[in-house]
Amino acid sequence: MDQMTPCFNYHDCENCPIRERGVCARCDDRELVPLNEIKYYRSYEAGQTMVWSGDAMDFVGSVVTGIATLTQTLGDGRRQMVGLLLPSDFVGHPGRACAAYDVTATTDIVMCCVRKKPFEDMMLQTPHLLQRLLEITLDELDASREWMLLLGRKTAREKIASLISIIARRDASAHAAGSGGVTIALPLSREAMADYLGLTLETVSRQISALKHDQVIVIERKRRITIPDMDRLLEEAGDDTDGGMPVREGDPKLVPRSSARQ
Amino acid sequence: MDQMTPCFNYHDCENCPIRERGVCARCDDRELVPLNEIKYYRSYEAGQTMVWSGDAMDFVGSVVTGIATLTQTLGDGRRQMVGLLLPSDFVGHPGRACAAYDVTATTDIVMCCVRKKPFEDMMLQTPHLLQRLLEITLDELDASREWMLLLGRKTAREKIASLISIIARRDASAHAAGSGGVTIALPLSREAMADYLGLTLETVSRQISALKHDQVIVIERKRRITIPDMDRLLEEAGDDTDGGMPVREGDPKLVPRSSARQ
DNA sequence: GGCTCACTTTGATCTGTGTCAAGGCCTGTT
DNA sequence: AACAGGCCTTGACACAGATCAAAGTGAGCC
């Protein structure tokens, strides 16, 4: 339902930037041939909504370059981002006719698409495709469950620290800064971060300021930060596998109760 | 690491209560033969932890009867339930050695298990198994994303109403009560509900009392409630696809901002 | 029947984060 | 240089839900 402006030509999959990680990663050269024939590229501009939740969705696709988000919306407009799509991530639900989320381009983006029916047919004949899609989906599921822990139980400060550390971990372009630190570009506006973290934009801004004040992060430009001490940041994120003394089992009285978010 | 007390005998899969919905649902009789040979049953008592997060997990399995939960824990003890396992649900991550979550039996439970290695091998040779597992995983992913919306953006009252309506929808044993209402058994303690919803036990209790006071639900016994008017409950849950007037696009000023949970 | 123990409810108070509102800071335009 | 329009930050205040505390309920046991 949008434009279709292929902005560059990967005519063959050989040189595709996501060859190693996409749904096609396990396919051998022979299997790539039919895929090559039915795929097509689609590009969208930053800010554009690629798919509306509830609309018919007749294709599936992979992000080749750029970043997109999956969001869900409540009747009254409250929004929650439920996924962040980076290059090689897959969009679409084989076997389902309608989109379950809004998909929005955060940056200019290029997708490698296949119409749903041919994709489903091909999947039935190509175990390598099926296997890889299962792997990807299982990883997504783990990631979204980790996010549930963040949304349900972390404080605003921990949420921000977690988001930054996740971006730092996934951002291939993150490169070491001067004194052993790491510099990253935030691909999201404060509002998008708020939608991701289940916070308001103001709280996001305040917590970023607080982390800056406490020198956990250094603000280069609004969308560019450096992390002088990654361990410190991970500590702030709260999910270091064990805060210090190794507890578990033992006297249940020592185990604090859940919650603590408010 | 626990007991292995098969408490009943489904020696063949034919009569298995989850034959229609489990990972094996798409397998034909021929494919069932090798599965039949490598599967084994395992049962656990209510309250027992079946798997500890981080421990080696050398099997995968499906819930045959009973209910279990997946939970994640932060270093300081804050807990978040990330999945509720009902009969036919699948546990385990092929291709991963360690469990990512604690798995705990909520009721007495029987699992149909297969050691991981044989399962993986068989999956490579049995597309029907692979296909069904992909379906199950995609559905899980959708469910967990819906839950992210709940955790990030719903109020306590909406969370409780959502949980009750989800249980009502999934509970096969839910049967019509007298005047068109539905009666269900809550399979969870208040504390478990709190862990699921990202709330405290006290807030759960208060909101249940409030819904009772407002006659959205009727409390039979503490763990048994009836829903006189399902539509009313769904309205309280907040995610009716559209609160009334069909908005979207149009004047952006009319779209309220996100958040509203506080 | 009375006791225990686990679970649940209810009350009083506190606090983290939402809400409302005002400015500040870039980047592009004329 | 001045202006406009997006973000982003900061402040003051409100309130939903957390926390601390105590009492109620009900099933199992002697």
Side-chain angles (χ1 to χ4, degrees):
Chain A
M1 70 225 61
D2 290 298
Q3 58 215 75
M4 280 191 230
T5 336
C7 74
F8 62 94
N9 310 323
Y10 298 129
H11 284 307
D12 67 308
C13 296
E14 293 295 327
N15 305 313
C16 178
I18 60 168
R19 177 75 182 89
E20 303 297 322
R21 307 206 61 239
V23 239
C24 54
R26 286 191 176 212
C27 294
D28 54 37
D29 294 344
R30 194 180 48 72
E31 291 167 329
L32 231 42
V33 176
L35 246 190
N36 224 327
E37 278 166 14
I38 57 178
K39 75 162 204 271
Y40 56 94
Y41 295 100
R42 231 178 199 190
S43 63
Y44 302 87
E45 288 169 24
Q48 209 180 353
T49 295
M50 300 157 61
V51 180
W52 291 99
S53 167
D55 282 357
M57 185 169 175
D58 60 345
F59 66 97
V60 298
S62 300
V63 179
V64 180
T65 63
I67 294 173
T69 62
L70 301 181
T71 56
Q72 280 199 311
T73 310
L74 246 23
D76 61 1
R78 281 174 280 172
R79 260 188 311 168
Q80 176 65 50
M81 197 185 298
V82 298
L84 185 61
L85 300 174
L86 300 186
S88 88
D89 283 342
F90 182 84
V91 187
H93 188 137
R96 183 151 304 180
C98 294
Y101 331 101
D102 294 339
V103 185
T104 308
T106 290
T107 63
D108 289 348
I109 193 170
V110 177
M111 303 279 304
C112 171
C113 302
V114 176
R115 280 182 305 116
K116 181 170 285 161
K117 186 65 173 57
F119 183 82
E120 284 165 4
D121 292 345
M122 181 161 176
M123 216 169 55
L124 294 179
Q125 294 164 341
T126 318
H128 282 162
L129 205 51
L130 197 54
Q131 285 163 23
R132 179 65 187 144
L133 185 53
L134 177 61
E135 267 179 15
I136 289 176
T137 308
L138 282 166
D139 287 346
E140 260 325 292
L141 183 56
D142 280 347
S144 88
R145 282 174 168 165
E146 194 177 319
W147 211 252
M148 286 172 66
L149 176 63
L150 175 145
L151 290 173
R153 295 301 186 193
K154 287 190 177 178
T155 64
R157 171 183 261 244
E158 288 170 332
K159 286 178 176 182
I160 298 287
S162 300
L163 178 61
I164 294 175
S165 65
I166 283 175
I167 291 173
R169 196 191 315 144
R170 290 181 60 171
D171 190 352
S173 74
H175 41 243
S179 51
V182 174
T183 299
I184 61 168
L186 293 177
L188 302 172
S189 69
R190 301 286 122 110
E191 188 183 21
M193 288 188 229
D195 284 342
Y196 206 3
L197 299 169
L199 297 170
T200 56
L201 162 178
E202 294 94 329
T203 298
V204 169
S205 182
R206 273 188 256 271
Q207 295 300 334
I208 288 181
S209 297
L211 288 173
K212 169 177 129 194
H213 174 263
D214 298 344
Q215 299 174 34
V216 180
I217 58 177
V218 178
I219 311 268
E220 230 87 311
R221 275 170 281 141
K222 291 197 187 300
R223 295 285 189 92
R224 181 157 211 89
I225 62 176
T226 109
I227 303 155
D229 179 355
M230 187 56 93
D231 289 340
R232 174 79 194 287
L233 181 67
L234 290 173
E235 207 173 286
E236 293 284 356
D239 44 15
D240 57 305
T241 325
D242 226 307
M245 54 195 78
V247 186
R248 183 190 279 179
E249 304 273 344
D251 186 348
K253 298 272 167 55
L254 289 177
V255 179
R257 43 195 301 218
S258 208
S259 85
R261 182 216 38 206
Q262 171 152 196
Chain B
M1 70 222 64
D2 291 299
Q3 59 211 76
M4 281 190 228
T5 336
C7 74
F8 61 94
N9 309 323
Y10 299 128
H11 284 309
D12 68 307
C13 295
E14 294 293 328
N15 305 313
C16 179
I18 60 168
R19 177 74 181 89
E20 303 298 322
R21 307 208 60 241
V23 240
C24 53
R26 287 189 175 213
C27 293
D28 54 37
D29 293 345
R30 196 180 46 74
E31 291 167 329
L32 231 42
V33 176
L35 246 191
N36 222 327
E37 277 166 14
I38 58 180
K39 74 163 205 273
Y40 56 94
Y41 294 101
R42 232 177 198 192
S43 62
Y44 301 87
E45 289 170 24
Q48 209 178 352
T49 294
M50 298 156 63
V51 180
W52 291 100
S53 167
D55 281 358
M57 186 169 174
D58 60 344
F59 66 98
V60 298
S62 300
V63 178
V64 181
T65 63
I67 293 172
T69 61
L70 301 181
T71 56
Q72 281 200 310
T73 310
L74 246 23
D76 61 1
R78 283 174 280 171
R79 259 186 312 168
Q80 176 65 49
M81 197 184 300
V82 297
L84 186 61
L85 300 173
L86 301 186
S88 87
D89 284 342
F90 182 84
V91 188
H93 188 136
R96 184 150 301 181
C98 294
Y101 329 102
D102 294 338
V103 185
T104 309
T106 289
T107 63
D108 288 350
I109 194 170
V110 177
M111 302 281 302
C112 171
C113 302
V114 176
R115 279 182 306 115
K116 181 171 284 162
K117 187 66 174 57
F119 183 81
E120 284 165 4
D121 292 344
M122 182 162 175
M123 215 168 55
L124 294 180
Q125 295 165 340
T126 317
H128 282 162
L129 206 50
L130 198 53
Q131 286 164 22
R132 179 63 187 147
L133 185 53
L134 177 61
E135 267 179 13
I136 288 175
T137 308
L138 282 166
D139 288 346
E140 265 320 296
L141 183 57
D142 280 347
S144 88
R145 283 174 166 165
E146 194 176 320
W147 211 251
M148 286 171 66
L149 176 63
L150 175 145
L151 290 173
R153 294 302 186 192
K154 288 191 178 179
T155 64
R157 171 183 263 245
E158 290 170 331
K159 286 178 175 181
I160 297 287
S162 300
L163 178 62
I164 294 174
S165 65
I166 284 175
I167 291 173
R169 195 190 317 144
R170 290 180 59 170
D171 191 350
S173 74
H175 41 244
S179 50
V182 174
T183 299
I184 60 169
L186 293 177
L188 302 172
S189 70
R190 301 290 182 245
E191 187 182 24
M193 288 188 229
D195 284 342
Y196 206 2
L197 299 170
L199 297 171
T200 56
L201 158 181
E202 294 93 327
T203 298
V204 169
S205 182
R206 273 189 255 272
Q207 295 299 335
I208 288 180
S209 298
L211 288 174
K212 169 176 127 192
H213 174 264
D214 298 343
Q215 299 175 34
V216 179
I217 58 176
V218 178
I219 310 267
E220 230 88 310
R221 275 169 280 141
K222 290 197 188 298
R223 295 285 189 93
R224 182 159 210 86
I225 64 176
T226 109
I227 303 155
D229 178 355
M230 187 56 91
D231 289 340
R232 174 78 194 287
L233 181 67
L234 290 174
E235 206 172 287
E236 292 285 356
D239 42 14
D240 56 306
T241 325
D242 225 308
M245 53 199 74
V247 184
R248 183 188 279 179
E249 304 275 346
D251 184 351
K253 300 271 166 57
L254 290 177
V255 178
R257 42 197 300 222
S258 209
S259 84
R261 183 215 36 204
Q262 165 155 205

